[in-house]
Amino acid sequence: MSRHAESFLALHRSIIRPGEDFHPATIKAWAAGRRVPRNAGSMEILARIEARYSLPTGYFKAKLPHPGRACAGHDLPGIHRAEQRRLAWHLPDDFNRRSAAERAEILQWVRTVIITGSTEYRRFQAEAIKLRYGLRFPALTGRSAPRNSRAELKSESRAETEDTDFVSAVIDAPPQLAMEMANLVRFKTATLTDIGFRRSGKWNEETVAQKAEHIGLMFGSMASAPGGAVAGLGVPLSNLTLALLVFPRIWDWYVQWRERRRGFFTRWEVDMLRLGMSLVKQETGWLRQMPGLAERLVPIEGIVDQSEVDSARIDWAGACDRLHGHAAARAKEIERVARVHRDPFEPILPILEADSPVGEYRKIAQEILRLSPDPDRHPRAAAEAARSFLLIRLGLHLGLRQKNLRQLLLCSRHQVPRTERQLEGLKRGEIRWSERDRGWEVFIPAVAFKNAGSSFFEGRPFRLILPDLDGLYGKIREYVDRHRPVLLNGASDPFTFFVKTAKATSRDAAYDQNTFYEAWRLVIQRYGVFNPYTGNGVIKGLLPHGPHNIRDVLATHILKQTGSYERASYAIQDTPEMVAKHYGRFLPQDKSALAAQILNQVWMAA
């Protein structure tokens, strides 16, 4: 304004159209820094000022204290407020000024590519999640069903179940089944088994949660109404018991029911059958050692008749033997025709196909810094951006599984580090300052890893000094000293390096498996996926994904650069055999290029 010798009123008159109620004092407040443009209308005014003064598009927006902030005031009729907030991040500032057809096209793209992800598996998942049919074991997982969900099934009679359509909500398992499941978990997790019992193998916390979920899905499908959308068996809740798992027809019905829902068999059905085999295995199977459960068996019309129930009660070991042989045969049959539904590499193919996968993924961290807000004016948003940046950077340096990264403890520079024995007891790692190496050290005992018994560890802990590249140490120090307390906001400190944003409605600052996955996925949605309508995001073709994919990025990068499965295994704390089988997306043209480099040396020497 000073350069063009214009006053606030003169500028206001030149850009405001008749009938608009934009006040000239707003421009004055912007210039003084007392207020900042926030909604779609204000962004349009900024664009007019840029045009009047012949400035590049986005000149003023780049100077905002929060350049990555979602624009408010989009015209989204008929869309729930919560979804509007998710969509706002990915809509262009001129969304309201575009035609109805363009707005519909943008919304469809954002919902398909960014919000849900457009892979075949994500589409299947989005449809499948609408039919919720599982049982929960809150005593084992800590998660209970909503009260209104339990109220949906007031009667346990089969006739009323058909009318209610059980699957409309997830409910808590009935007390009898919950008690049986608790006994199974105690058997599989206790340090010492009860006298008279034998077992093979032990479950950790993650395995308990996984098995509880899988068994809950199986019994939830059995309890669902036959005439409903899930097409279950309609078994009354009071008749559900783990003893039903000794009948081959139950397993045949379940695996075929899953095949009908998905359209083909997968490894999931094979794993479930093998779980059934382990439960009835000679000498060590828990179900085989619990013949008293047979007294709770009740026939299921069309699946288990009274004669089969009587036979199981008389010869429980024989029933277990029949199930073991049947499940083993079925597992082999399904394994031959099983298909892979979820391609773990699909969301990150543009990165894996790049010459430098790590360099490509690093662009996401740089985009976070570019759009980071002013911490003095937007402390919480700046803290969340700092956390997002360190999620990506530490993931790229460490290559840890989600659990190990999520549970990483923090030891500040003025604190005494925990001993290896303490960390072994907690089964967690720690990020701490090493005075000897003058750097941030990540120390994780071998027992904290999923593959603790692999040849990679040989009983030794994982230890890595983080490199101070691109100012990483400064970012860690700023996060620990300034941003992390803002995220905690007075909530109880879980003592982990990464903490959730504590709010009035959620005071638990500790991440769990689901919230950590969603946090990572949100970072990719906002900063990674290129949006052609806003220009935000840095990688074209990228799709939302979780933290485990970064291991694929690291393994593939080293394979592309060196061709060595052994070196790639070092980056993700695994063995060369596992890298070759699971993690390396080593494309044929890259293999040829590596071989050509060696052969070309002959010509260069000549």
Side-chain angles (χ1 to χ4, degrees), residues 487-489 491-492 500-510 515:
L487 295 172
L488 287 172
N489 192 27
S492 297
K500 291 195 303 182
T501 306
K503 304 175 183 177
T505 55
S506 176
R507 302 300 297 167
D508 184 6
T515 54

Side-chain angles (χ1 to χ4, degrees), residues 403-420:
K403 170 195 168 185
N404 300 115
L405 188 60
R406 164 171 52 91
Q407 295 183 347
L408 195 65
L409 298 170
L410 169 65
C411 177
S412 300
R413 294 187 64 165
H414 63 275
Q415 293 177 321
V416 178
R418 297 172 180 86
T419 65
E420 183 175 351

Side-chain angles (χ1 to χ4, degrees), residues 38 68-74 76 79-91 107 110-111 115 380 503 505 522 525-526:
R38 177 70 176 88
R69 192 177 194 178
C71 183
H74 291 305
L76 299 170
I79 297 179
H80 192 272
R81 187 178 297 275
E83 186 179 4
Q84 287 188 24
R85 289 195 295 268
R86 288 195 298 271
L87 292 172
W89 277 90
H90 313 289
L91 300 179
L107 285 175
V110 170
R111 282 170 165 162
I115 303 300
R380 192 170 81 175
K503 304 175 183 177
T505 55
L522 183 64
Q525 287 175 330
R526 291 184 176 180

Side-chain angles (χ1 to χ4, degrees), residues 382-388 390 410 473-487 496-500 511:
E384 291 173 343
R387 179 184 62 199
S388 299
L390 290 174
L410 169 65
Y473 284 10
K475 297 296 182 184
I476 293 176
R477 182 174 61 252
E478 188 176 13
Y479 171 78
V480 172
D481 296 341
R482 180 174 187 175
H483 297 307
R484 192 172 176 276
V486 172
L487 295 172
T496 52
F497 184 80
F498 294 110
V499 292
K500 291 195 303 182
Y511 278 113

Side-chain angles (χ1 to χ4, degrees), residues 245-263:
L245 300 184
V246 301
F247 295 116
R249 288 186 183 178
I250 289 287
W251 287 96
D252 268 12
W253 173 85
Y254 185 56
V255 296
Q256 292 175 39
W257 175 85
R258 288 190 61 87
E259 188 269 342
R260 287 193 299 271
R261 282 172 57 83
R262 192 182 294 264

Side-chain angles (χ1 to χ4, degrees), residues 286-335:
W286 177 82
L287 202 54
R288 180 183 285 267
Q289 299 175 78
M290 298 291 290
L293 292 179
E295 299 302 319
R296 299 179 182 175
L297 289 172
V298 176
I300 301 175
E301 184 179 345
I303 303 293
V304 180
D305 57 31
Q306 186 63 50
S307 63
E308 291 176 296
V309 171
D310 294 338
S311 176
R313 289 172 177 169
I314 294 171
D315 185 9
W316 184 250
C320 291
D321 287 337
R322 286 191 292 274
L323 186 277
H324 193 277
H326 175 82
R330 279 286 187 263
K332 290 181 179 178
E333 290 176 334
I334 294 176
E335 196 168 24

Side-chain angles (χ1 to χ4, degrees), residues 226-512:
V230 174
L233 289 177
V235 179
L237 289 177
S238 59
N239 292 349
L240 294 178
T241 170
L242 290 178
L244 288 170
L245 300 184
V246 301
F247 295 116
R249 288 186 183 178
I250 289 287
W251 287 96
D252 268 12
W253 173 85
Y254 185 56
V255 296
Q256 292 175 39
W257 175 85
R258 288 190 61 87
E259 188 269 342
R260 287 193 299 271
R261 282 172 57 83
R262 192 182 294 264
F264 49 86
F265 288 112
T266 68
R267 288 283 308 177
W268 201 95
E269 287 77 45
V270 176
D271 292 340
M272 280 298 293
L273 285 166
R274 287 177 176 163
L275 170 62
M277 292 170 60
S278 70
L279 292 175
V280 296
K281 187 177 180 180
Q282 287 189 11
E283 297 185 355
T284 59
W286 177 82
L287 202 54
R288 180 183 285 267
Q289 299 175 78
M290 298 291 290
L293 292 179
E295 299 302 319
R296 299 179 182 175
L297 289 172
V298 176
I300 301 175
E301 184 179 345
I303 303 293
V304 180
D305 57 31
Q306 186 63 50
S307 63
E308 291 176 296
V309 171
D310 294 338
S311 176
R313 289 172 177 169
I314 294 171
D315 185 9
W316 184 250
C320 291
D321 287 337
R322 286 191 292 274
L323 186 277
H324 193 277
H326 175 82
R330 279 286 187 263
K332 290 181 179 178
E333 290 176 334
I334 294 176
E335 196 168 24
R336 283 195 292 266
V337 298
R339 290 168 50 187
V340 176
H341 197 174
R342 183 182 70 90
D343 180 3
F345 303 119
E346 188 174 0
I348 57 171
L349 270 181
I351 293 174
L352 299 181
E353 292 174 348
D355 293 335
S356 173
V358 169
E360 196 72 8
Y361 210 90
R362 175 175 170 264
K363 293 178 182 178
I364 301 174
Q366 294 172 320
E367 179 74 351
I368 296 171
L369 292 181
R370 185 181 74 84
L371 296 177
S372 293
D374 181 350
D376 294 326
R377 299 194 65 160
H378 303 281
R380 192 170 81 175
E384 291 173 343
R387 179 184 62 199
S388 299
F389 172 81
L390 290 174
L391 273 174
I392 302 298
R393 283 296 302 270
L394 264 61
L396 284 173
H397 286 297
L398 301 173
L400 298 174
R401 290 180 175 84
Q402 194 236 70
K403 170 195 168 185
N404 300 115
L405 188 60
R406 164 171 52 91
Q407 295 183 347
L408 195 65
L409 298 170
L410 169 65
C411 177
S412 300
R413 294 187 64 165
H414 63 275
Q415 293 177 321
V416 178
R418 297 172 180 86
T419 65
E420 183 175 351
R421 178 167 293 185
Q422 287 176 315
L423 293 173
E424 285 179 346
L426 296 171
K427 291 186 176 180
R428 293 188 174 199
E430 181 178 75
I431 180 171
R432 59 207 188 181
W433 180 257
S434 171
E435 289 293 344
R436 183 185 65 184
D437 297 290
R438 303 303 298 170
W440 284 99
E441 174 190 64
V442 174
F443 184 93
I444 308 175
V447 295
F449 289 89
K450 175 183 176 181
N451 58 331
S454 76
S455 58
F456 175 85
F457 292 103
E458 297 182 347
R460 295 189 297 269
F462 169 87
R463 179 179 179 270
L464 180 70
I465 300 296
L466 293 171
D468 188 15
L469 301 174
D470 291 340
L472 179 60
Y473 284 10
K475 297 296 182 184
I476 293 176
R477 182 174 61 252
E478 188 176 13
Y479 171 78
V480 172
D481 296 341
R482 180 174 187 175
H483 297 307
R484 192 172 176 276
V486 172
L487 295 172
L488 287 172
N489 192 27
S492 297
D493 193 341
F495 304 110
T496 52
F497 184 80
F498 294 110
V499 292
K500 291 195 303 182
T501 306
K503 304 175 183 177
T505 55
S506 176
R507 302 300 297 167
D508 184 6
Y511 278 113
D512 59 25

